[in-house]
Amino acid sequence: MEKIISENKAWIDEVWEKLDKKLQVVSERSYDKIPYTTLDGVHDNKLEEKCDTPELIDRGAAWWTNGFWPGMMWLMYAGTGNEQYKKVGEHAEELLDAAFKQYDGLHHDVGFMWNISSGADYRLTGSKEARLRTIYAADILAARYNPMGKFIRSWNADHVGWVIIDSMLNIPLLYWASREFGDDRYKAMAMNHADTVMRMHIRPDGSVRHIVSLDPETGEFIEDFGGQGYAQGSSWSRGQTWALYGFVLSYIHTGKQEYLDTAKKVAHYFIANVAGDWAPRVDFRSPEEPVYYDSTAAACAACGLIEIAKAVDEYEKPLYMNAAMNLLKTIEERWCNWDMDEDSIVQMGTEAYYPGGGDKGRHIPIIYGDYYFIEAIYKLRGNDILFW
Ligand code: GLY
């Protein structure tokens, strides 16, 4: 692993310098925003509701991606020590407080929203305010646990038994809360949830279901849905990466070998489907044409693959590290925008490419594409602080 990193050190350092140069400017420019995407190159939290409806909708304070911008700031602060990033990260956390006032509007994505924002802040600076925000978010997530079905419900309203694979990136907040309080109940909820997801979402070939509906009184499987993928039974690539990274994170936090084995199994399926051009399609089981890419799947997978490489035995490491390097180089060569006048970095993300099984999606830059790309490069520079 060290050999692969040292062979690529010049490239890694060069990319990090470009990230720092651009983000010093963009962080100042976007100080008062929590961006989701860009409109005409400028950070914004608004977007058309659907690709075929022109009206711009503000995604609001409780939007699930709102932790990524402060998370980027804390990654850059951790990697550079530049106080400007700290200032912007702290301000974004204050803006994010508006979401706590909309309790009804919150959801299981409080892990995405606060673990890498206030959680990272607390772990890096010891801030008491940041700790309180993170505790509050962890308790909101814990309150969603269903002890009969042994899972954390994903959505609100009548989706009582719906669980989405994205949840695997939310539960690390509960592992943190257990350590913080010295109280294993949070960890037990997270592990019960991970065990349920392992049984319900992961198919024998290593592919992953996006949405599963479970009986809320027994936890038994009812049905599954294609969600953001092409169709029921297909394989939405970002969903594969939520599982890949999510399970290795659960392994890191608990030491449970089955989680690492699951992460590896999903990684093998993922690698088999991208090896070639290392540019993930939105869905690995969609028609060959037209080709739609998802850069965010590449960035998130790279983070998970680096963590798997750290966890496995010496002779296994190159498989995962080489795959991570190939994905990151593809992102940099094909999709990075280093124009200082435009706010986003990684282009060609997708939110929902196949609404209703159709093909009316679009490629847009999305904030978590930038976040995971930065996190992966941060890891490659030898930083061992885990943001999740
Ligand atoms: N968590 C929703 C998505 O990945 O688009």
Side-chain angles (χ1 to χ4, degrees):
M1 179 163 172
E2 278 72 28
K3 184 164 173 279
I4 295 169
I5 292 179
S6 68
E7 280 167 4
N8 288 285
K9 191 174 180 324
W11 179 84
I12 295 164
D13 289 346
E14 187 194 316
V15 173
W16 181 260
E17 274 164 34
K18 286 200 273 189
L19 288 168
D20 186 26
K21 185 162 171 248
K22 178 155 176 168
L23 284 167
Q24 282 190 38
V25 174
V26 174
S27 61
E28 199 66 50
R29 204 156 57 207
S30 296
Y31 176 73
D32 261 329
K33 300 178 183 174
I34 302 189
Y36 170 50
T37 181
T38 57
L39 293 175
D40 295 327
V42 180
H43 267 155
D44 212 303
N45 198 26
K46 291 196 278 316
L47 192 67
E48 298 90 344
E49 175 64 33
K50 294 206 176 82
C51 40
D52 49 1
T53 53
E55 194 192 348
L56 292 176
I57 308 282
D58 193 319
R59 299 297 156 117
W63 185 236
W64 76 277
T65 64
N66 284 355
F68 288 106
W69 170 249
M72 282 165 59
M73 295 300 110
W74 290 114
L75 278 169
M76 294 310 298
Y77 174 67
T80 65
N82 184 337
E83 292 286 320
Q84 180 184 325
Y85 293 123
K86 180 169 181 273
K87 181 186 78 175
V88 184
E90 284 168 347
H91 183 56
E93 278 170 54
E94 285 161 12
L95 297 176
L96 195 53
D97 282 348
F100 282 133
K101 298 200 180 102
Q102 322 180 356
Y103 189 86
D104 272 357
L106 284 174
H107 34 64
H108 77 142
D109 285 328
V110 290
F112 279 113
M113 291 171 72
W114 279 285
N115 200 9
I116 53 171
S117 60
S118 58
D121 179 357
Y122 172 59
R123 292 187 283 273
L124 289 167
T125 72
S127 158
K128 288 198 175 90
E129 275 188 325
R131 178 176 179 272
L132 279 180
R133 289 181 177 115
T134 319
I135 286 173
Y136 192 27
D139 276 343
I140 291 170
L141 187 57
R144 302 181 70 85
Y145 181 69
N146 177 332
M148 300 173 295
K150 292 190 164 48
F151 63 82
I152 293 164
R153 66 176 289 177
S154 295
W155 275 303
N156 299 334
D158 53 351
H159 297 317
V160 187
W162 282 27
V163 180
I164 58 175
I165 191 63
D166 323 32
S167 60
M168 291 304 297
L169 268 288
N170 284 316
I171 60 172
L173 181 61
L174 298 179
Y175 298 128
W176 170 82
S178 260
R179 285 196 301 277
E180 189 64 21
F181 293 132
D183 178 346
D184 274 349
R185 286 176 307 142
Y186 295 87
K187 180 179 170 192
M189 287 185 237
M191 290 182 78
N192 285 346
H193 178 83
D195 292 347
T196 300
V197 170
M198 208 157 50
R199 281 187 294 115
M200 299 297 175
H201 288 74
I202 312 300
R203 302 188 186 109
D205 67 354
S207 70
V208 179
R209 293 165 163 160
H210 183 194
I211 304 174
V212 164
S213 172
L214 305 177
D215 183 325
E217 287 177 16
T218 63
E220 274 166 33
F221 178 84
I222 300 173
E223 60 185 322
D224 68 299
F225 307 101
Q228 284 165 250
Y230 176 67
Q232 193 275 338
S234 74
S235 170
W236 174 48
S237 62
R238 190 160 68 246
Q240 316 303 296
T241 70
W242 293 144
L244 190 166
Y245 195 15
F247 273 101
V248 70
L249 287 171
S250 272
Y251 168 72
I252 293 167
H253 287 293
T254 67
K256 184 165 168 167
Q257 183 64 34
E258 256 183 294
Y259 296 156
L260 178 59
D261 293 341
T262 302
K264 286 169 67 177
K265 179 164 139 177
V266 176
H268 301 157
Y269 175 86
F270 188 89
I271 292 170
N273 277 281
V274 292
D277 65 358
W278 298 96
R281 275 51 172 173
V282 170
D283 196 306
F284 295 138
R285 292 184 187 161
S286 60
E288 269 185 31
E289 298 286 340
V291 177
Y292 300 130
Y293 294 108
D294 188 353
S295 59
T296 68
C300 180
C303 290
L305 289 164
I306 294 168
E307 292 302 333
I308 295 176
K310 287 185 200 166
V312 296
D313 289 341
E314 195 55 35
Y315 298 116
E316 283 187 85
K317 293 182 190 295
L319 171 67
Y320 306 101
M321 271 310 290
N322 282 323
M325 288 307 308
N326 284 326
L327 289 165
L328 293 168
K329 288 195 167 174
T330 300
I331 294 172
E332 208 269 328
E333 277 161 25
R334 293 176 63 161
W335 297 323
C336 275
N337 175 351
W338 299 115
D339 184 339
M340 301 292 277
D341 293 325
E342 295 193 22
D343 290 344
S344 63
I345 298 170
V346 178
Q347 313 299 302
M348 296 289 276
T350 59
E351 48 172 17
Y353 222 109
Y354 296 106
D359 62 351
K360 292 198 172 139
R362 62 199 149 175
H363 285 118
I364 49 170
I366 313 187
I367 196 72
Y368 47 87
D370 288 6
Y371 174 87
Y372 286 109
F373 184 65
I374 296 166
E375 187 185 308
I377 302 293
Y378 171 82
K379 287 179 196 293
L380 291 177
R381 283 168 57 83
N383 297 299
D384 274 334
I385 300 172
L386 192 62
F387 266 60
W388 296 93

